[in-house]
Amino acid sequence: MKDFLRRRVNAFDVVIVWGGNWGDQLTAKGQQKLATIAANTTRIKQLDSQQAGGGNSAHGAVGASNRAFEALRKLIKRIHDTADSIDFDDELPDIADDFPLPAGRNLQTWLTAATTYAQKAAPHTQLFIDYGMEANFLTKLSTVAQQANDAEDHQDAGDQSSSGATKEMDRLTRITVRELRSLRSIVNNIFGPDAETADADALQQWVTASHIEAEPEHAQNAQGGQTP
C-alpha cells in the first residue's frame, strides 16, 4: 500500500473509533455513513493484504517466466548450432538457413521460431540425433515452448490482478473520503456549540479524527484536477 493511502486508511480507523464512542448519537443517515466508512476501510485492508500476497506470487511468476524463456532460448540455440554443424559436412544437406536464430527477448518471436524449427527439423530428425541431439528433442522443444507461453500468461494475469486491486483501493478510498466529508455537517449539527445536544469534547475529537491529508497534486491531475 502506498504511504499516502496508508495514512488515509489510518485516518479512517480513527474516525471509526470516534464512531464507537459517539456514533449512536448521530442520525440514521450519519450512522449509515459511519458504517460505509467502516466497511470500505475493511475492504481496502483486505485488498492490500491480497495484493501483498499477489505481489509475492507475481514475483515468483516473473522468475518462472524467465526460467522458461531461458530453457526455450537454450534449446533453440542448440538446434541452430547443430544445423550449422551439419552444413559443414559436404555429404549432408545444407539446412542451416532453415534455422535462423531469433534476436532479442520477445517471447512471441522465439515461440514462432520454435514452431518453424519443429517443421524444418522433422524431415532431418535423424541427422540431428546423429549430431548429438536427444532422440526426443522435437518433443522437448514443443514442451518448453508451451511452458514458456504458460509462464508468460501466468505473469500477465498476476500483473492484471495487482493493477485491479490498486485501482479498487483507490476507488474505495475516494468514496470513503467523500462519505467522511459529507458526515461533517451532521456531526456539527448534533455536537456543535449551537446545537441542543452540543458536546465540545465530541466535536473536538471529531475535528481531530476527521482531518484528512490533501491528495498529492500529481494524483489530482490524474483525476482531472478534482480532489475527493
Side-chain angles (χ1 to χ4, degrees), residues 93-156:
D94 295 334
I95 62 173
D97 288 346
D98 290 336
F99 300 91
L101 189 65
R105 290 185 61 84
N106 181 276
L107 176 62
Q108 290 306 314
T109 299
W110 288 83
L111 290 175
T112 299
T115 300
T116 301
Y117 272 39
Q119 294 171 347
K120 297 293 186 179
H124 308 291
T125 301
Q126 189 58 50
L127 286 179
F128 282 92
I129 295 173
D130 290 343
Y131 271 74
M133 296 295 297
E134 302 89 341
N136 66 340
F137 78 95
L138 287 180
T139 299
K140 186 175 180 181
L141 178 61
S142 175
T143 299
V144 296
Q146 186 62 52
Q147 289 172 342
N149 187 62
D150 291 346
E152 183 79 0
D153 288 345
H154 184 60
Q155 179 183 339
D156 289 344

Side-chain angles (χ1 to χ4, degrees), residues 178-195:
R178 287 198 296 269
E179 286 293 298
L180 179 58
R181 288 177 174 168
S182 70
L183 183 58
R184 287 175 179 172
S185 62
I186 297 175
V187 174
N188 287 331
N189 286 335
I190 292 175
F191 298 116
D194 297 327

Side-chain angles (χ1 to χ4, degrees), residues 47 51 54-55 58 61 152-168:
L47 287 168
Q51 188 180 47
E152 183 79 0
D153 288 345
H154 184 60
Q155 179 183 339
D156 289 344
D159 291 342
Q160 292 172 7
S161 176
S162 178
S163 175
T166 298
K167 290 180 180 178
E168 180 64 5

